[in-house]
Amino acid sequence: MYFFFFISSKSQSFSHFLFFSQTSDLPVLHSRCVLVHDRQVLLFHRANGWFAMDGICYHMGGPLVKGSVVDIEEPMHFRRAAEILGVVGPKSGREVVVCPWHAYRITLDTGEGMTMDTNSHWKSKGPRQRTHKVTVKDGEVFVTLTSGKFLPSDEYCNRKDIRIEEDTT
Ligand code: FES
């Protein structure tokens, strides 16, 4: 089943934004696909704010709406040690969406692809997924598409033959 929330333009003082919904329509820790000017965008409501990025993975077109959002962990050996000791491992405070197809990790705030170096530290591969601006005002959420130099996710998100499914997990 393919389903999208269509965003309608809202005039008046926010004419250059696209109205999404009331903040209460998307609870904290939920995400949702929205179609903005024919672009497939994934909107996240997290404890530390709202984020939006292209909804189709820059790698090979995976549906990021089906990925989980996690705090990017500190080095693997810390996490393993924590697991063995039965304690909660260290957190970075930075969230990534994990693509369900090949487990690429993409930061919510900047769209950077993350990879683990030989010392088991996460490092950035640079921006890969285009992020978009989210503005919240008076309980309403607005999404503004960004533009700029080509990013790998641009290749997928304007394609009409790839559609992602709506989900709210
Ligand atoms: S398609 Fe997303 S990691 Fe490969």
Side-chain angles (χ1 to χ4, degrees):
M1 178 182 80
Y2 299 105
F3 182 80
F4 285 91
F5 280 78
F6 287 86
I7 292 179
S8 61
S9 295
K10 191 168 188 180
S11 57
Q12 299 160 3
S13 59
F14 275 82
S15 59
H16 59 296
F17 294 102
L18 288 171
F19 176 62
F20 167 62
S21 72
Q22 306 294 321
T23 51
S24 55
D25 291 342
L26 189 61
V28 177
L29 305 184
H30 286 61
S31 57
R32 180 167 293 164
C33 300
V34 295
L35 203 57
V36 185
H37 288 314
D38 251 3
R39 193 174 185 102
Q40 300 177 68
V41 172
L42 185 53
L43 183 66
F44 301 90
H45 189 187
R46 307 300 301 171
N48 59 341
W50 293 76
F51 303 92
M53 67 168 58
D54 284 346
I56 299 176
C57 179
Y58 73 88
H59 176 220
M60 292 179 70
L64 292 179
V65 70
K66 292 187 172 296
S68 52
V69 175
V70 298
D71 184 293
I72 194 163
E73 303 91 353
E74 290 302 322
M76 191 87 72
H77 52 276
F78 283 173
R79 187 152 44 92
R80 293 264 161 75
E83 285 169 6
I84 290 168
L85 294 171
V87 298
V88 176
K91 300 284 185 184
S92 71
R94 192 168 192 202
E95 291 184 314
V96 294
V97 58
V98 183
C99 179
W101 281 10
H102 310 102
Y104 277 29
R105 289 165 190 254
I106 304 166
T107 58
L108 296 195
D109 54 351
T110 59
E112 292 167 79
M114 301 299 287
T115 187
M116 189 166 273
D117 67 17
T118 53
N119 293 318
S120 299
H121 290 280
W122 290 104
K123 69 174 187 180
S124 173
K125 295 186 283 188
R128 295 289 189 271
Q129 197 79 11
R130 186 172 300 287
T131 56
H132 303 285
K133 182 178 178 183
V134 182
T135 305
V136 179
K137 184 172 174 59
D138 298 331
E140 296 184 327
V141 183
F142 300 83
V143 176
T144 308
L145 295 182
T146 63
S147 58
K149 77 170 194 173
F150 178 84
L151 291 177
S153 68
D154 293 333
E155 182 176 338
Y156 291 102
C157 280
N158 286 323
R159 282 174 55 170
K160 303 277 189 298
D161 59 325
I162 300 178
R163 286 299 187 222
I164 50 180
E165 294 179 52
E166 187 271 346
D167 199 342
T168 57
T169 56

